Amino acid sequence: MFVLWREREAELRSFFQKRDGKNGRMLMIAMTAVFIDALFWLNKKKVGQLQDIEAAAARLKHKPVNIEERLRFILIKPESYHSFTQLRALMNELEKLTARSKAMGEL
């Protein structure tokens, strides 16, 4: 998942550098789905329904700080540059959480 993110992050960055968030919207939605999958898999949970996914993410044991508000922000306006920077930060935090969980023997 993190390899996929790194491959697509450059493409997303290119959209936003050109101020073309509208055309990057679908890729942002796809990469947000990748983030959600990785977050739930880290917690050994299945992604249930997407309705109220922010609250479900907030109930997880291993999660980035303020996940509910940050995820809601991204889902409301995925074509925004600020959503891209937020998703990039969340992916970085999730990668660190994953490494920590592996080191602690929780994965």
Side-chain angles (χ1 to χ4, degrees):
M1 294 253 166
F2 298 114
V3 171
L4 175 62
W5 165 251
R6 281 189 283 280
E7 290 171 357
R8 296 306 187 124
E9 179 187 7
E11 190 177 345
L12 279 170
R13 189 178 318 112
S14 175
F15 281 120
F16 289 108
Q17 284 174 341
K18 295 182 224 171
R19 299 187 185 277
D20 190 14
K22 185 177 177 183
N23 285 322
R25 186 176 199 281
M26 292 308 294
L27 184 55
M28 271 294 293
I29 291 169
M31 290 297 98
T32 302
V34 167
F35 168 77
I36 291 168
D37 282 343
L39 176 64
F40 277 77
W41 292 348
L42 169 64
N43 286 277
K44 298 178 182 170
K45 305 272 185 197
K46 291 182 180 180
V47 177
Q49 61 185 26
L50 292 179
Q51 187 176 20
D52 207 23
I53 192 71
E54 306 96 326
R59 291 189 294 270
L60 297 172
K61 179 180 177 183
H62 305 287
K63 62 188 178 279
V65 176
N66 297 329
I67 185 63
E68 189 170 4
E69 296 84 9
R70 295 165 79 187
L71 188 54
R72 184 177 301 122
F73 181 83
I74 294 167
L75 292 171
I76 288 172
K77 197 162 185 186
E79 66 277 0
S80 163
Y81 173 74
H82 298 295
S83 292
F84 166 65
T85 60
Q86 197 62 241
L87 182 58
R88 183 175 54 206
L90 285 171
M91 288 299 286
N92 288 338
E93 291 173 41
L94 187 61
E95 193 166 13
K96 290 175 188 173
L97 283 170
T98 301
R100 190 181 116 234
S101 294
K102 283 182 183 178
M104 301 287 283
E106 296 173 352
L107 286 181

